[in-house]
Amino acid sequence: MSTNRVVPLTAENVITRAAPTDEQPHRISITPLLKALSTPPPYTHVPARSIALAWARTFENHLSHTQLAALLTLLCSTGLDKHPDVIAECAEAMRDAAAPVDYKQISQVLGKRKRERGAYRGGLCDIVGTGGDAHSTFNISTTSSIIASALLAIAKHGNRAQTSMAGSADVLKAVTPRPPILENLMAEHLPKAYENSNYTFLFAPNFHSGMRYAATVRRELGLRTIFNLMGPLANPVHNLIEVRVLGVAYQELGPVFAQALQKKGITKAMVVCGAEDLDEISCAGRTNCWWLQEILNPKYQKSGSEDNDTSDDDTEPKYTSKLESFSLEPADFGLSTHPLSEVGGGKGPRENAKVLLSILKNEMDRDHPILHFVLMNVAALLVVSGITESDSSEYGEVIQDRGPAGGRWKEGLRLARYCLESGKALQEFEKFIDLTHSIQV
């Protein structure tokens, strides 16, 4: 019987100094962590915070390629990269390393706009997927984010293609005749952006410059690592996001991501996974959903301003969440089903950009499979936002019908159609394009 004793890792002993090199003058070593991860399961002696502390050094170029590769491989082989605590802590570490954002100024801009309606308080919203589902469908979340901007303030976080032929940034850059200049919009421009439009696209390289230090290792490893899960959780304006719809490519990730969000105090979010292992709400049949529904925190004690969301000592938030698991189908939105073979992406960004513009210009047939696919995902974001909870509307007669988990999915669909047919979604997108061209670099 082995007499080796594993020393529990802490913030103090997870990282040690290593010999500097010309390329990495401030190099550190995470050998204690790697040794701990190499011991037999259940790995209960490896705290998530210790993993995140080591992983965060990637963004400062303090890890050697060998140690980063070992860390990513061990997280994958132990399954810890799919543990809610690890995902939550690593996502926070990645956001902490992002370009700093002036939250106060953006908050003031959003507050002046008074976009509240129903249970939506006017905060930022994002709809995003992990990618990697291998279905090569059209760019649903990107298109959905633009459409929803007719009613919601959107902070769409995205990048170039990682696992598909046309990533969100690729498609937007292929828009004709005047695409947005995504590289121009930096953190310091966000307050101005929201003064002019409901829509922004946060191009990941502009906000997560430290990711470049991991590029070689990720490419040479050829594995799906924890990096492939971080995109949806690494939005650089995370602290101002009120609403999230997050698609995952595998069923097992659904409850994991929901728990990771809940652990960080997120109160308005829905994680979705189509039954085909699709990181969107599926137009082909059933979609499994994990919905964090916002509720008042019974422990919250009000004091001071009406706008104060926490108690005196800032320990108890005004809102908390309850997690509900259920499934959705196209019929819940009042739509028919369509096989995924009818909603595939084109051969590349240019074709997908043409489809995107056809949708935004309201030129696509009302019953086109791709349009139905997009509208369901827009509708879900609107429902999760709470905007569908208003019993009156200047946009037509409210559909009161409630479906699975009590959501007004058909009302969400009605509002999604309004966003397109009113021309407001296209207007918001054009204002965003104008903004990116106006920024002096």
Side-chain angles (χ1 to χ4, degrees):
M1 183 172 170
S2 173
T3 58
N4 291 339
R5 204 163 149 257
V6 177
V7 178
L9 291 172
T10 66
E12 289 71 34
N13 68 13
V14 69
I15 294 170
T16 60
R17 292 191 178 277
T21 65
D22 291 340
E23 294 78 18
Q24 293 171 301
H26 304 293
R27 186 174 161 229
I28 56 92
S29 171
I30 57 169
T31 298
L33 174 63
L34 299 178
K35 286 182 176 179
L37 291 173
S38 301
T39 61
Y43 317 109
T44 52
H45 56 280
V46 186
R49 186 60 183 154
S50 295
I51 292 172
L53 280 169
W55 188 70
R57 296 307 186 273
T58 301
F59 309 113
E60 301 166 349
N61 198 25
H62 289 176
L63 282 187
S64 71
H65 286 180
T66 300
Q67 290 215 321
L68 176 58
L71 175 61
L72 296 177
T73 303
L74 284 167
L75 289 178
C76 185
S77 64
T78 59
L80 286 172
D81 60 349
K82 296 179 180 64
H83 190 284
D85 288 332
V86 173
I87 289 176
E89 295 295 340
C90 285
E92 183 173 8
M94 186 171 176
R95 294 191 300 267
D96 287 345
V101 171
D102 191 334
Y103 285 116
K104 183 176 181 181
Q105 194 175 358
I106 297 173
S107 243
Q108 290 172 345
V109 170
L110 293 173
K112 290 176 183 176
R113 302 186 66 182
K114 300 186 183 302
R115 304 287 300 185
E116 300 93 339
R117 180 166 174 262
Y120 173 54
R121 297 191 296 277
L124 298 178
C125 309
D126 191 13
I127 177 168
V128 63
T130 59
D133 61 17
H135 288 293
S136 300
T137 54
F138 176 67
N139 301 85
I140 300 299
S141 63
T142 306
T143 309
S144 298
S145 70
I146 299 172
I147 295 172
S149 71
L151 296 175
L152 307 176
I154 300 292
K156 170 63 176 163
H157 186 222
N159 205 347
R160 300 182 184 93
Q162 304 294 320
T163 57
S164 63
M165 293 181 64
S168 53
D170 302 313
V171 172
L172 295 184
K173 288 162 73 71
V175 165
T176 58
R178 190 169 178 252
I181 308 175
L182 302 181
E183 294 83 359
N184 280 359
L185 186 68
M186 308 297 284
E188 62 265 29
H189 303 128
L190 292 178
K192 179 182 177 183
Y194 287 114
E195 287 177 354
N196 291 278
S197 171
N198 271 354
Y199 188 78
T200 65
F201 183 91
L202 309 183
F203 187 39
N206 290 4
F207 295 85
H208 296 286
S209 60
M211 284 285 288
R212 68 185 186 276
Y213 301 124
T216 300
V217 171
R218 294 181 67 192
R219 183 173 60 252
E220 292 181 354
L221 268 182
L223 302 173
R224 285 188 64 80
T225 68
I226 193 168
F227 277 106
N228 296 90
L229 303 179
M230 287 294 104
L233 301 172
N235 194 310
V237 293
H238 170 86
N239 290 352
L240 289 176
I241 295 181
E242 178 184 345
V243 186
R244 297 165 173 81
V245 170
L246 195 159
V248 294
Y250 306 100
Q251 302 298 329
E252 65 180 287
L253 292 178
V256 170
F257 268 66
Q259 291 169 44
L261 290 169
Q262 197 167 37
K263 285 176 181 294
K264 289 302 178 181
I266 305 306
T267 60
K268 274 189 181 180
M270 189 162 74
V271 181
V272 301
C273 186
E276 315 88 344
D277 282 342
L278 177 74
D279 68 340
E280 320 277 4
I281 292 180
S282 177
C283 61
R286 182 170 52 84
T287 296
N288 293 317
C289 306
W290 297 265
W291 190 1
L292 292 178
Q293 291 181 276
E294 188 173 79
I295 57 174
L296 283 171
N297 184 353
K299 297 180 181 179
Y300 169 73
Q301 296 294 322
K302 186 160 189 60
S303 64
S305 167
E306 287 292 317
D307 295 325
N308 186 14
D309 280 348
T310 56
S311 58
D312 290 343
D313 56 8
D314 221 31
T315 57
E316 288 295 342
K318 182 175 182 178
Y319 300 102
T320 185
S321 65
K322 63 175 182 177
L323 175 59
E324 182 165 0
S325 303
F326 63 103
S327 64
L328 285 170
E329 296 183 356
D332 296 318
F333 299 90
L335 298 175
S336 54
T337 59
H338 304 281
L340 294 185
S341 59
E342 295 183 359
V343 294
K347 296 179 180 178
R350 289 184 181 180
E351 283 194 22
N352 284 11
K354 288 179 181 178
V355 176
L356 168 65
L357 286 177
S358 173
I359 292 173
L360 293 181
K361 292 178 180 178
N362 198 32
E363 296 172 347
M364 187 173 280
D365 185 279
R366 279 178 63 88
D367 293 321
H368 194 290
I370 288 180
L371 182 58
H372 279 190
F373 194 7
V374 170
L375 289 176
M376 282 192 297
N377 283 272
V378 178
L381 182 60
L382 295 173
V383 170
V384 176
S385 77
I387 203 169
T388 55
E389 290 303 305
S390 176
D391 288 329
S392 62
S393 172
E394 62 269 41
Y395 316 126
E397 185 177 350
V398 173
I399 299 175
Q400 304 281 350
D401 176 71
R402 294 190 181 274
R408 288 180 170 175
W409 310 104
K410 291 177 182 175
E411 171 66 0
L413 199 287
R414 182 188 74 82
L415 290 176
R417 286 203 185 274
Y418 163 80
C419 291
L420 277 182
E421 294 170 1
S422 65
K424 291 184 181 296
L426 180 60
Q427 290 172 14
E428 295 299 331
F429 186 51
E430 289 174 340
K431 285 190 282 187
F432 170 68
I433 293 174
D434 290 342
L435 171 76
T436 65
H437 283 263
S438 72
I439 295 171
Q440 301 298 314
V441 295

